Amino acid sequence: MRKKMTLLALSAVLAAGTLAGCSSSGGSQTQATSPAAKTEEKPAKVKVGIGTEGLQYIEGSPNINEDKYTKKLRELSKTDVTLELIPHSQFDQKLTLLFAGGELPDLLQTHGINRPEVAPAVDTGVLIPLNELIDKYGPNLKKNIPKEAWDFASVSKGGKIYGIPNVNPTPNGNVMMVRKDWLDKLGMKPPKTVDEYIEMLKAFKEKDPNGNGKQDEIPFSGREKLAFTEAFFGAYDVMPADWKFENGQLIPNMIRPNMKEALGVYRKLYEQKLLDNEVFVQKPKDWDAKIKAQGVVGLWIHGPRLADKWAAEVKTGSPTSQLEIIPAPVGPDGKGGLSIGSTVGGNVWVIPKTTKNPENAIKLLDWFYSDEAQKFLTYGLEGDDYTVEGGKIKYKYPQKQDDIYREEMHLTWLRMVGPSHLSDAEFMKNRPSGDLVMKAIDVASKEGRKNDGLGMPALPTLQARPELARDGLWLELAAKIVTGKESPDAFDKFVEDWKKRGGDQVIKEATDWYKSTHK
């Protein structure tokens, strides 16, 4: 039934395109005398502020609004969409500047209305409530997004909806990815405990698993600010940005005692060069290059939904490479994994009060749940990305690096809201390494650390004192301990100072919220 509806929708679009072509080829006289030409409404204009996500195809585009996929989005959605790119590496800072400057797009991507850079815009009325607009113009949004997502703190406040969320295929957003060909060459089995992981990383460093006769391997790599390295914190149940309710208080993991031991593990990894020594400053493109083009990284962390992409891209630099998804290291309590998140995805779309016709932004997002949108986003452009043979789509699954980058444009980046391509069983069944993605999602669903602060709104003290958050004083301390500039014992003084600087008030506000919502 769905296929029939999709084909009918496609036929309608093609028919409309054919009619438009006939009209334009009929000369100026035909256009002047056509009643339809006189009464035809221009498509609604919607400016969209959207992050680049660090994707090479997006950031390398000379003009994203002239891109063929952007043009197709305009055609199918019947909306004159203009994309205004926000650099991934400066996303939070750029949002802060946007709100301060006042010149906002009609529709803006955020990482949640409770984020420090967005929360003040809610409180000061810069962003508008969307309840009535969704009721009137967003039937697909209302039908397909679950109630718990609408109620989440990154989406709503005080019973009012301020954001349109995308929905995660799995709450746990990251898994461990390892070079299976390296393990096989060294005759090693996938590790389970922290000690076994360290043993594996040492072998990666010392035993030349890439076979080039040089000790150039980087056993474990991540990005600036320790991003995509946090599995060893998870082993000790102290994911740095998360919270634990204990002894009647909601406490940030940053100051819990296990953090000291976890930082000691990272110090050991850094000292022995088992952890990339550029991990506090490394940009995404440099991290990518080490893993893919250079092929010198043995272990890294990323999203389970992208396992097939990673498997293909690593082959561009190491054609015989094999990727495996393995469980995260378990700690003293026999558990492990990264933070278990929410069904609400990382992107939440908001509409500023300066938007003249906010209903057009809602209609655009609502369109993403249509069969027409899903076909375009999953399969791309006919002729370029797929052909139709015998009434069936034959998708050209990408193999070359540039094709993989290009596929991200329609498959993930333009998919502002709506079902993931992972929910399309036929697409995934035929996809190279599609089984690896399914395994990655399965691994993610079976591990992870609970965050008792999940859904907590922006706390007043953290808004006023952002240095008390994960990327402030704690990150400074972590960098000093891990790189050997401070002893792990410096952690004790950090906790004391953090509380005096306003941390005690942060804990009080967090605890009050927790108790009010977990009665």
Side-chain angles (χ1 to χ4, degrees), residues 308 422 427-439:
D308 56 343
L422 301 176
F427 180 80
M428 293 305 299
K429 179 183 70 174
N430 297 319
R431 188 172 183 80
S433 300
D435 56 338
L436 191 66
V437 176
M438 295 299 104
K439 178 178 180 179

Side-chain angles (χ1 to χ4, degrees), residues 7-20:
L7 290 171
L8 285 171
L10 180 61
S11 298
V13 171
L14 291 173
T18 303
L19 287 172

